[in-house]
Amino acid sequence: MDAAERDLLAETLRKTMTAASGQALDAALADLGWAELLAEQPDMAVPLTFRLLGETGTHAPLLNDVLLSAAGRTVGGTLPLPYTGGTWIVWERDDTAAGTTLDAELPLLSVPVGASVPLAAGRVALGWWLVGTGRAMLALARQHAVDRVQFGRPLASFQAVRHRLAETLVALDGAEATLVAADDDLGALLAKAAAGQAALTAARHCQQVLGGIGFTAEHDLHRHVRRAMVLDGLLGSARELTREAGALLRAGGSAPRLVHL
């Protein structure tokens, strides 16, 4: 797939995600050939699709497909997923399961402990989703800073606001770099941790920039903040994965080179 075809696909996916969410989006992406794209070009399909899920603020149970495909199983079903705190959930493909305590929009159901799954592919996918969510929050905060005037000056002219937006951008760009470089289990673990931390950093800084309006139900920020918190907990939170990485490095006695510069 060349650059022009990739741009066309990205635009098609963005329009589809803008028009549908949940079960309806799952069906629409199936009609577009999501399963075939995942099987034939996963290195392109996963970053593009999951980043757009974050940027558009929509959702679909595609994490199931990534993990099922990595396990050599047929996509289209579900499987138990580890969640932070030692719990397990299932991301249902039916919207009737939405409204759980984890998130009002996502059909996540608590289940008993499940069998082990190949986590690396799922962590990378979630990492791209988290980065996309972070960029959506950054875009909202940036636009507010440009439009809002306080004390006779644009909000964007204040150094404190600029620093928060700049720190958010650096965190997101750094997380994206780790996702691009992730090519093994440890790389995927670190990339998911970096993406989760970057999304939480974006939530904190962008909330500060938006001020009181960011707390209101009428503004979209709260949806992205909630989504970042839920996704961070899936397949290991940033805090848990950082500790796990440290334990692995201590056990190995050395730190492997993850990227050759």
Side-chain angles (χ1 to χ4, degrees):
M1 183 177 294
D2 59 27
E5 292 173 328
R6 187 180 183 282
D7 290 344
L8 179 60
L9 175 61
E11 184 62 24
T12 301
L13 289 173
R14 186 180 293 276
K15 289 181 179 179
T16 302
M17 292 176 185
T18 302
S21 189
Q23 188 175 356
L25 178 57
D26 191 20
L29 292 175
D31 291 340
L32 286 175
W34 157 251
E36 293 77 10
L37 190 63
L38 177 62
E40 296 171 6
Q41 300 188 60
D43 292 340
M44 185 275 294
V46 169
L48 177 60
T49 304
F50 280 81
R51 190 187 74 245
L52 286 172
L53 284 173
E55 291 179 2
T56 58
T58 189
H59 68 89
L62 304 184
L63 181 62
N64 290 302
D65 296 333
V66 172
L67 291 169
L68 288 169
S69 178
R73 297 164 59 183
T74 303
V75 303
T78 63
L79 72 172
L81 307 171
Y83 198 76
T84 185
T87 59
W88 288 70
I89 60 98
V90 165
W91 195 315
E92 294 287 357
R93 308 195 87 109
D94 186 347
D95 285 345
T96 58
T100 65
T101 55
L102 281 177
D103 190 280
E105 297 180 357
L106 304 179
L108 306 177
L109 297 180
S110 297
V111 295
V113 176
S116 61
V117 294
L119 297 178
R123 283 171 172 167
V124 170
L126 283 173
W128 284 110
W129 197 339
L130 284 160
V131 166
T133 299
R135 294 199 184 281
M137 289 187 280
L138 179 59
L140 290 172
R142 177 191 175 279
Q143 192 60 51
H144 178 77
V146 170
D147 294 340
R148 179 75 171 176
V149 175
Q150 285 187 326
F151 308 110
R153 296 168 56 189
L155 189 61
S157 67
F158 292 95
Q159 191 176 51
V161 171
R162 291 187 175 193
H163 283 178
R164 288 190 180 275
L165 295 179
E167 288 177 15
T168 300
L169 179 61
V170 169
L172 293 170
D173 282 352
E176 186 165 325
T178 64
L179 288 164
V180 171
D183 61 0
D184 58 15
D185 289 347
L186 180 58
L189 184 154
L190 294 173
K192 169 64 164 56
Q197 188 58 55
L200 296 177
T201 297
R204 183 173 66 255
H205 286 334
C206 293
Q207 179 66 77
Q208 287 291 324
V209 171
L210 283 159
I213 193 173
F215 287 98
T216 65
E218 289 76 12
H219 199 279
D220 284 339
L221 180 72
H222 76 283
R223 296 179 60 247
H224 294 294
V225 171
R226 189 173 69 242
R227 185 65 48 80
M229 295 176 68
V230 172
L231 295 179
D232 177 58
L234 265 173
L235 309 189
S237 67
R239 178 175 296 183
E240 290 171 332
L241 294 180
T242 300
R243 291 176 177 172
E244 183 178 341
L248 290 172
L249 295 180
R250 287 198 306 271
S254 63
R257 183 187 296 273
L258 299 176
V259 178
H260 295 275
L261 301 177

